[in-house]
Amino acid sequence: METNKRYLVGVFDDEDVLLKSVKKIRNSGVKIHEVYTPFPIHGLDEALGYKRSRLPIAAFLFGITGTTCAVAMISLMLGYDWPMIIGGKPFVPIPDLVPVSFELTVLFAALGMVATFLITNNLWPGKKPILFDSRSTDNKFIMAVDLSKNKLASDEITSILRNFGATEVNTKLVEEEVVV
Amino acid sequence: MSQVVSPVREPLVIGGKTYADVTEDVCRQVEGKPTKLWLICFTLALITLGYGSYCLFYTWWTGIGVWGLNKTVGWAWDITNFVWWVGIGHAGTLISAILLLFRQKWRTSINRAAEAMTIFAVLCAASFILAHMGRPWLAHWALPLPNTYGSLWVNFNSPLVWDVFAISTYLTVSLVFWYIGLIPDLATIRDRARNKVSKFVYGAMSFGWDGSAKTWARYESVSLILAGLSTPLVLSVHTIVSFDFATSVIPGWHTTIFPPYFVAGAIFSGFAMVLTLMLITREVFNLKEYITIGHMESMNKIIMLTGSIVGVAYITELFIAWYSGVQYEQYAFLNRATGPYWWAYWSMMTCNVISPQLFWIRKIRRSVAATFILSIIVNIGMWFERFVIIVTSLHRDYLPSSWAMFYPTMYDIGDYIFSFGLFFTLFLLFAKFLPVVNMAEVKAILKSSSAKVAEKRGAAVQTDFQARPAFNKDVE
């Protein structure tokens, strides 16, 4: 099922104005759908009330998976499957495990975390993004407000956005599939 | 919030740029038709690549007997070139990862190109690894794959196997790091694209990036962790490369100083290569407001520091050879400095130890011409360093009857030319079709570090200064 959703799109020129007004706009009872910016703005995620990303935990888990795989692989190959006598040294020499285990830890952590990042953000090659304003990847800071999720009337929200520094407020219809 | 920056700091972006200017200046060369200069350079690179490919193909087809190797010198230009290219690659990761952890904002305008350089340099290095195997179609034997010999596995005690893991991990992680950084900028190009082809290509490549606050927050966390992972990774890669030599029993190789000495040398030559490329890029693409003299000076300072570390390492090696009392070690170093390859040793010493000391002079550090020449001299010196380490340690064996000299053949030279062709072809393609400056990151520092803001802040400082006497009077 497809519906048209109406959004109000506030355009800001300055990231500091935006950052200050996000909290104020939320306090005045407007539910912000999302803010789109051309570069990362520190503190914006907190102002919008987002939780801290758990990606570091994912990276750590992928990392220890890598270490475990490497240590298990080397020990099984050299210690169990085909033990080789090399200068009378132990079959599974701990110091010699370090370089490969380290590299695989980094490899697993990096690839796993990036894959998690792409999946959680639903980013994939060829995906078509919903752009409220194409200038959001250039020089404008865009605040989208979903009218169907707000109790306030469209005019009220427009004036709130303008009061807190939006230089333009536009309406945008977005065709999107209803997420159940 | 924009951070507070000291007014005495040099602005990182000059010329009063706005966010839109950044987009415009960087996208211009991506969107425009290739310039004549670019086409000429690209043709030259392709010719170089073509000739090099012939030589490399001949080497693969005939075997490494076409090189000037003999029974005493079994490693020469192949490993020299490999270590040289891998070393060059290190600067990219240092700039994007280590400088990110140290919060060095000047990295933002050069990190993209430096990371691209890393990837291309590691690819060039890999071509020598494949070539020196002699039978490159059996390269997968270096991996722990099940095989028909009752699964005789690779020897994990060997630094050569560690190298396989280190280099392939390094290439993969660098590539991923670079691409994740590219996605927001590709989205910028996508949103500006007018024709169908670029809309489709940049649309597909930008993964549907929309720049939402949530994505950016996660993106920042990914960048930080990737930087945290890449930092020990980059240090480990050249450490492991140095293990190829250090764990052997060849006098001149069997040295514990090798890992830090190799890492410093890698950063040294890498920064020199970044400078060579960036000084051309800023000129050709008119990016002088983003890659400023200040950037050049910062890089020259790093070259001076790492060059000095390398110099200390050379002298330490000499001292330890004498102090150890090991005849073989002593002879290896005496032979380096005064033997038949004395010219290589002294070229290395001049280019790597003496020439970077010129950067103590501020005028030279800030001169584009001097920096450009010195950056090339440094890389010549670093090539000689690897040549000296490899060939002069090998060519006079324990038995004088097996002493030999190494003379390169046209295929030694041709395979080296191949790597240059590959490197410049890839770099020129990158420079034309992808944004050479990280737009998103430059925009993020614009408020705190651009000339405009510095001016304002300078004015504020001045008024503050003028106001002070009055304040003092009040106190009195």
Side-chain angles (χ1 to χ4, degrees):
Chain A
M1 192 179 131
E2 275 186 3
T3 48
N4 280 341
K5 266 187 160 183
R6 273 185 75 215
Y7 285 88
L8 275 185
V9 181
V11 181
F12 291 77
D13 286 349
D14 189 293
E15 77 262 33
D16 288 336
V17 174
L18 171 86
L19 194 56
K20 274 178 203 153
S21 51
V22 162
K23 265 193 182 159
K24 291 176 191 160
I25 291 173
R26 287 182 71 209
N27 287 341
S28 31
V30 178
K31 270 188 189 167
I32 299 171
H33 171 65
E34 182 57 295
V35 176
Y36 301 89
T37 60
F39 55 83
I41 297 167
H42 294 284
L44 185 60
D45 48 333
E46 281 164 38
L48 283 165
Y50 295 153
K51 277 181 201 155
R52 246 185 102 178
S53 164
R54 282 168 301 173
L55 275 165
I57 302 168
F60 177 74
L61 294 178
F62 281 114
I64 52 168
T65 312
T67 323
T68 318
C69 285
V71 172
M73 175 181 80
I74 303 171
S75 328
L76 284 175
M77 284 174 181
L78 294 190
Y80 173 76
D81 195 40
W82 189 301
M84 276 186 292
I85 297 169
I86 301 161
K89 287 179 211 156
F91 292 129
V92 185
I94 304 296
D96 291 4
L97 296 184
V98 174
V100 172
S101 311
F102 170 74
E103 299 301 331
L104 288 184
T105 306
V106 170
L107 186 69
F108 274 56
L111 290 183
M113 180 185 53
V114 167
T116 317
F117 167 73
L118 293 177
I119 292 166
T120 48
N121 286 313
N122 192 21
L123 296 171
W124 39 273
K127 185 202 163 195
K128 290 224 156 50
I130 299 166
L131 288 177
F132 290 94
D133 193 312
S134 66
R135 291 170 297 173
S136 67
T137 53
D138 180 6
N139 61 344
K140 299 288 180 198
F141 307 87
I142 305 299
M143 184 183 288
V145 178
D146 188 344
L147 283 177
S148 63
K149 285 186 186 155
N150 270 291
K151 283 174 195 161
L152 296 171
S154 158
D155 295 348
E156 272 179 282
I157 298 175
T158 308
S159 64
I160 290 173
L161 290 181
R162 278 197 183 280
N163 279 342
F164 288 122
T167 48
E168 291 171 37
V169 180
N170 310 318
T171 348
K172 171 126 181 149
L173 284 175
V174 174
E175 237 178 56
E176 64 178 333
E177 284 178 42
V178 174
V179 184
V180 185
Chain B
M1 278 281 173
S2 49
Q3 278 169 287
V4 179
V5 174
S6 156
V8 289
R9 268 196 201 283
E10 209 174 318
L12 296 174
V13 180
I14 52 179
K17 298 288 178 188
T18 61
Y19 297 136
D21 292 337
V22 177
T23 315
E24 191 58 40
D25 290 343
V26 178
C27 290
R28 197 182 302 124
Q29 108 282 7
V30 179
E31 287 159 355
K33 280 209 172 106
T35 57
K36 239 183 207 165
L37 190 64
W38 186 88
L39 283 173
I40 293 168
C41 293
F42 191 63
T43 317
L44 285 177
L46 278 184
I47 293 169
T48 317
L49 182 66
Y51 175 72
S53 302
Y54 158 73
C55 293
L56 192 66
F57 176 76
Y58 189 79
T59 310
W60 284 23
W61 187 259
T62 319
I64 54 172
V66 299
W67 288 342
L69 302 177
N70 49 54
K71 85 174 190 43
T72 310
V73 185
W75 269 2
W77 277 41
D78 48 353
I79 302 300
T80 303
N81 298 340
F82 158 70
V83 180
W84 189 69
W85 277 117
V86 172
I88 284 173
H90 277 48
T93 322
L94 186 105
I95 291 171
S96 58
I98 301 184
L99 296 187
L100 184 134
L101 296 184
F102 280 109
R103 299 266 180 252
Q104 291 294 309
K105 287 182 182 174
W106 58 272
R107 54 174 259 288
T108 50
S109 7
I110 50 169
N111 63 358
R112 167 73 43 76
E115 279 172 49
M117 183 204 73
T118 294
I119 293 158
F120 306 147
V122 175
L123 285 177
C124 291
S127 78
F128 290 103
I129 288 295
L130 286 180
H132 103 298
M133 288 177 167
R135 291 183 289 170
W137 50 93
L138 298 179
H140 62 278
W141 283 10
L143 300 172
L145 296 171
N147 53 62
T148 49
Y149 303 106
S151 276
L152 172 66
W153 302 105
V154 290
N155 182 3
F156 285 101
N157 302 288
S158 162
L160 296 177
V161 169
W162 305 344
D163 227 5
V164 172
F165 280 89
I167 301 289
S168 42
T169 301
Y170 185 46
L171 179 62
T172 316
V173 174
S174 307
L175 197 65
V176 167
F177 200 174
W178 179 66
Y179 198 80
I180 291 295
L182 261 174
I183 291 176
D185 283 1
L186 290 172
T188 304
I189 299 175
R190 169 200 69 199
D191 294 341
R192 287 166 54 92
R194 283 186 207 96
N195 68 59
K196 261 189 183 169
V197 179
S198 48
K199 249 184 201 161
F200 176 77
V201 173
Y202 291 110
M205 281 167 77
S206 56
F207 284 26
W209 177 271
D210 56 5
S212 68
K214 196 170 249 172
T215 320
W216 274 123
R218 288 175 180 153
Y219 171 93
E220 287 269 273
S221 130
V222 166
S223 306
L224 193 63
I225 295 168
L226 274 180
L229 289 170
S230 300
T231 301
L233 177 66
V234 68
L235 299 179
S236 84
V237 171
H238 232 57
T239 300
I240 292 175
V241 168
S242 81
F243 283 166
D244 291 345
F245 306 101
T247 58
S248 73
V249 289
I250 307 289
W253 288 4
H254 188 64
T255 333
T256 44
I257 201 178
F258 262 22
Y261 154 31
F262 267 52
V263 171
I267 293 162
F268 180 53
S269 67
F271 267 84
M273 188 57 114
V274 172
L275 276 171
T276 312
L277 291 175
M278 294 321 279
L279 290 181
I280 299 173
T281 311
R282 76 194 275 272
E283 199 72 43
V284 173
F285 293 143
N286 200 14
L287 292 169
K288 286 181 195 156
E289 279 112 351
Y290 301 96
I291 303 160
T292 62
I293 300 295
H295 285 92
M296 193 177 80
E297 193 184 5
S298 301
M299 286 193 268
N300 281 339
K301 283 178 184 165
I302 291 186
I303 287 186
M304 194 171 74
L305 172 74
T306 47
S308 306
I309 296 175
V310 167
V312 169
Y314 291 165
I315 294 160
T316 310
E317 264 191 326
L318 283 177
F319 172 75
I320 293 295
W322 166 75
Y323 187 68
S324 68
V326 180
Q327 276 179 331
Y328 303 104
E329 198 73 20
Q330 286 171 348
Y331 180 72
F333 284 90
L334 189 71
N335 181 44
R336 273 186 196 178
T338 61
Y341 286 110
W342 63 271
W343 47 271
Y345 184 79
W346 292 108
S347 312
M348 163 190 111
M349 276 294 194
T350 322
C351 298
N352 292 352
V353 184
I354 299 164
S355 71
Q357 299 307 322
L358 290 173
F359 284 138
W360 285 103
I361 304 160
R362 188 178 145 92
K363 232 182 187 173
I364 295 181
R365 223 159 49 213
R366 295 182 72 87
S367 148
V368 175
T371 304
F372 188 73
I373 294 166
L374 278 171
S375 73
I376 290 170
I377 288 179
V378 162
N379 263 323
I380 294 173
M382 284 311 287
W383 190 88
F384 273 116
E385 180 202 293
R386 279 66 181 252
F387 180 78
V388 164
I389 291 173
I390 292 165
V391 175
T392 65
S393 304
L394 288 174
H395 86 119
R396 290 207 161 162
D397 214 340
Y398 291 97
L399 287 176
S401 61
S402 54
W403 284 7
M405 289 292 285
F406 172 81
Y407 299 105
T409 64
M410 69 168 276
Y411 295 102
D412 278 298
I413 302 165
D415 293 348
Y416 190 36
I417 290 174
F418 168 82
S419 64
F420 276 102
L422 181 68
F423 184 76
F424 284 108
T425 306
L426 291 173
F427 192 81
L428 284 164
L429 283 175
F430 155 75
K432 173 64 195 77
F433 294 106
L434 295 173
V436 283
V437 168
N438 192 330
M439 292 185 272
E441 287 197 6
V442 169
K443 285 175 195 167
I445 62 149
L446 209 54
K447 257 209 155 167
S448 58
S449 309
S450 77
K452 231 184 187 172
V453 178
E455 247 170 57
K456 265 189 210 162
R457 213 172 271 136
V461 169
Q462 267 182 5
T463 41
D464 195 36
F465 182 71
Q466 283 161 352
R468 209 163 284 157
F471 173 73
N472 285 344
K473 258 180 204 165
D474 280 358
V475 174
E476 281 163 16

